[in-house]
Amino acid sequence: MSWYDALEAGELTMRPGDYESRRFGVAVDRISISASAGTPLPEVLAAVDKSTADVVILRYPAREVSWFAALASGPRTALLADSLVYWSLPVGKGRRPAPLAGFAATHEQAVDDDLVDDLVGDIFGDYGNHYCANPLFAPAQALAGYQEWARRSVEDQGAVVLRGPDRRVLALATVDQQRSWTEIELAGVVPAEQGRGRYGHLLAAVEDAATSRRLVISTQGHNTGVQRAWARYGFEPIHTLLTVHLVGPDLPLAARQ
């Protein structure tokens, strides 16, 4: 969920989840309430009731701690699908690591689709994203969705890559450059290079490539390891959303994996 939808939209937004619907074979709607919306619970429940989709993916500010009970009391089965934590950094304020001799981290306008698929598969293959909470959504299909998302992002705005002395790509970050912020969408280091300080160099390269004054990023709440890395680099937590999947009463939740 983008920074704009999460914090700045100022209203409840509802749209078809076209990519999820095609990928998982069930109709999906997405409803999101931004931090600035102030939407009352009855409007949220009315929007959920209006949806005819098999699954509604609802995201709302975590401060609304009483909402889940009401959602779980409705006709749909409510599945708590973790949270999204948003962090922010003023560009130029990152605590940059010392340069790595022989390594290069730059923004590249084109990255081969097969390479993107391989990198995302290696980096995010075990990532516990919100789809994992729903037995209607197979993990392999969810990963394919991340790969598709990364390919679209690279085609649109390129990617920041960290290459080793042999020119192999060791880390990848896809970004969405907006006027007021640069959002890091997917970012990670290949497993063989993790724990060696490579991630800080990737963040520094994203900071260099940013065309705005603010760098923003988000992850599932359980992903504390990467949040520690963000804190070390200088990011600060800004907002938390809860994710709830609301499954229609006619859909059995037997695993289809």
Side-chain angles (χ1 to χ4, degrees):
M1 184 171 168
S2 72
W3 177 269
Y4 176 79
D5 287 338
L7 285 101
E8 302 193 14
E11 60 184 358
L12 179 151
T13 60
M14 182 174 179
R15 61 176 65 95
D18 293 332
Y19 291 112
E20 288 98 343
S21 297
R22 287 198 297 269
R23 187 176 309 118
F24 297 116
V26 295
V28 175
D29 276 345
R30 283 179 163 267
I31 298 175
S32 59
I33 297 93
S34 75
S36 56
T39 306
L41 176 60
E43 289 188 24
V44 178
L45 296 177
V48 172
D49 186 61
K50 181 180 178 180
S51 173
T52 60
D54 298 313
V55 179
V56 174
I57 298 176
L58 171 65
R59 281 174 163 158
Y60 60 90
R63 64 175 179 261
E64 306 294 354
V65 294
S66 65
W67 285 13
F68 184 79
L71 294 164
S73 299
R76 291 175 175 268
T77 300
L79 304 175
L80 185 60
D82 204 355
S83 58
L84 274 178
V85 185
Y86 290 79
W87 293 63
S88 177
L89 171 77
V91 170
K93 299 298 184 180
R95 293 190 280 269
R96 307 167 65 90
L100 283 171
F103 290 74
T106 58
H107 183 263
E108 300 185 9
Q109 289 299 326
V111 183
D112 180 76
D113 282 350
D114 290 339
L115 177 57
V116 171
D117 281 351
D118 289 344
L119 290 168
V120 172
D122 287 345
I123 295 168
F124 295 98
D126 296 324
Y127 178 54
N129 59 68
H130 68 98
Y131 298 113
C132 297
N134 193 333
L136 294 173
F137 296 157
Q141 293 172 324
L143 177 59
Y146 272 65
Q147 291 168 321
E148 179 186 3
W149 178 28
R151 291 195 304 271
R152 293 198 312 266
S153 181
V154 171
E155 182 180 2
D156 184 42
Q157 299 200 25
V160 175
V161 297
L162 172 67
R163 295 181 180 272
D166 59 1
R167 300 295 298 160
R168 286 187 303 112
V169 177
L170 307 180
L172 172 82
T174 63
V175 296
D176 178 23
Q177 301 268 22
Q178 298 292 331
R179 184 177 65 179
S180 299
W181 65 83
T182 296
E183 182 164 7
I184 303 173
E185 295 181 328
L186 288 173
V189 178
V190 298
E193 295 291 326
Q194 291 175 7
R196 306 178 68 182
R198 310 302 190 214
Y199 193 76
H201 294 276
L202 182 67
L203 292 176
V206 174
E207 196 174 6
D208 288 340
T211 58
S212 65
R213 294 182 178 180
R214 181 165 52 163
L215 200 59
V216 300
I217 195 168
S218 63
T219 191
Q220 299 288 134
H222 70 79
N223 194 5
T224 54
V226 77
Q227 291 179 73
R228 288 195 298 270
W230 298 345
R232 287 193 298 269
Y233 194 81
F235 283 83
E236 294 184 350
I238 299 297
H239 183 55
T240 301
L241 287 174
L242 292 181
T243 304
V244 176
H245 289 199
L246 299 162
V247 181
D250 297 329
L251 280 182
L253 283 176
R256 302 195 309 170
Q257 302 176 14

